[in-house]
Amino acid sequence: MTDSRKTKTTEPRGEPPKPRRVSRQREAGEATRRETRRRLLAAAKAEFAERGYAAATVIRIAERADMSVQTLYSNWGNKRNLLRAVMESSVTGEPPAVITATLDPADAAHPVRVLAHLSHQYRLLAERAAVGWQTYRDGAGVDPDIAADWQQLSDLRRQAFHAFFARLPAEALRPGLTNAVAADTAWVIASPDVHDLLVCQAGYSYDQLEEWVGDTLGAALLGGTERH
């Protein structure tokens, strides 16, 4: 006699499907692409530092990275994109943004310490971004798109300074000085132009740059009793 009952195969319910693993081949490909972009970026930074934006060529950048020009175009598109990437890789944050994240809360109530910290963060940024600053300044003279990028970066810096100084108590500032004017003053003093004048042209060390910026900010922004 044949058993007419059918055996049903049951599948576990309520269990999410197992995520598919990325193949080793794909992982290797992504790692290779990251390394290719890193080498091209490092080559571009060296080329811009040596020749400036106008004289730099994608051919020499590719040769420095031991890559083909087509590989450069495939990964970065053009020379302008490489310049933007050089700047972005150097700048992790403008001083007013960094200072709020790294300032010791115990120092936040002391204007002199705040400005000293701001000066130090500016110095660190200048050391990282000097090549990008100079290259953007040079490129702005020959490429209107780069000029627009440079203006946008300058505007963002100014907005960041205003956002930071808006939170400082007015009594910490020199009498008659508004928070907005204080922000613009700091924006000018801790700027790429000052780095160019003092470090590139006058031969200041970065220690001297930091000291000058700190002293100048204190003298320009703080009342006599706040400087000590």
Side-chain angles (χ1 to χ4, degrees):
M1 186 175 179
T2 304
D3 188 352
S4 61
R5 289 178 298 176
K6 295 182 180 179
T7 303
K8 294 182 179 180
T9 303
T10 59
E11 296 182 356
R13 297 179 180 179
E15 295 183 4
K18 295 181 179 180
R20 291 182 297 178
R21 294 181 179 177
V22 179
S23 68
R24 291 183 179 180
Q25 183 177 5
R26 181 178 176 185
E27 289 179 344
E30 290 176 350
T32 298
R33 183 171 182 270
R34 286 194 299 270
E35 176 62 14
T36 296
R37 288 171 65 85
R38 185 198 66 78
R39 285 170 55 185
L40 286 166
L41 190 61
K45 184 174 182 179
E47 177 75 5
F48 292 148
E50 182 178 314
R51 299 178 181 274
Y53 181 81
T57 68
V58 292
I59 294 176
R60 275 195 295 266
I61 292 171
E63 288 175 348
R64 282 177 181 267
D66 196 22
M67 302 279 179
S68 70
V69 174
Q70 183 56 49
T71 298
L72 183 152
Y73 283 130
S74 297
N75 281 273
W76 287 109
N78 54 41
K79 188 170 69 168
R80 180 188 169 211
N81 288 345
L82 274 167
L83 174 57
R84 183 76 185 218
V86 166
M87 176 63 82
E88 290 177 351
S89 69
S90 300
V91 180
T92 58
E94 289 296 325
V98 172
I99 195 173
T100 58
T102 58
L103 179 63
D104 189 324
D107 292 338
H110 300 275
V112 172
R113 297 180 192 176
V114 170
L115 294 185
H117 192 70
L118 173 61
S119 302
H120 183 62
Q121 294 301 323
Y122 163 73
R123 175 255 182 89
L124 295 178
L125 175 64
E127 288 182 296
R128 295 193 307 269
V131 170
W133 283 347
Q134 183 61 50
T135 308
Y136 255 102
R137 187 181 292 108
D138 294 344
V142 297
D143 188 323
D145 290 331
I146 292 177
D149 277 352
W150 184 239
Q151 183 62 53
Q152 182 183 34
L153 289 170
S154 181
D155 291 342
L156 289 173
R157 286 186 67 256
R158 185 172 182 234
Q159 291 170 19
F161 273 91
H162 275 259
F164 171 71
F165 275 90
R167 290 179 288 184
L168 284 184
E171 57 268 22
L173 300 175
R174 179 167 50 81
L177 188 67
T178 66
N179 291 73
V181 172
D184 281 339
T185 302
W187 173 61
V188 171
I189 292 172
S191 68
D193 296 310
V194 165
H195 168 269
D196 181 64
L197 289 170
L198 293 182
V199 175
C200 301
Q201 298 187 41
Y204 276 46
S205 69
Y206 280 98
D207 285 341
Q208 290 172 317
L209 174 69
E210 180 179 342
E211 181 179 4
W212 183 91
V213 168
D215 290 345
T216 304
L217 285 173
L221 302 181
L222 303 181
T225 60
E226 295 288 353
R227 297 182 195 173
H228 305 287

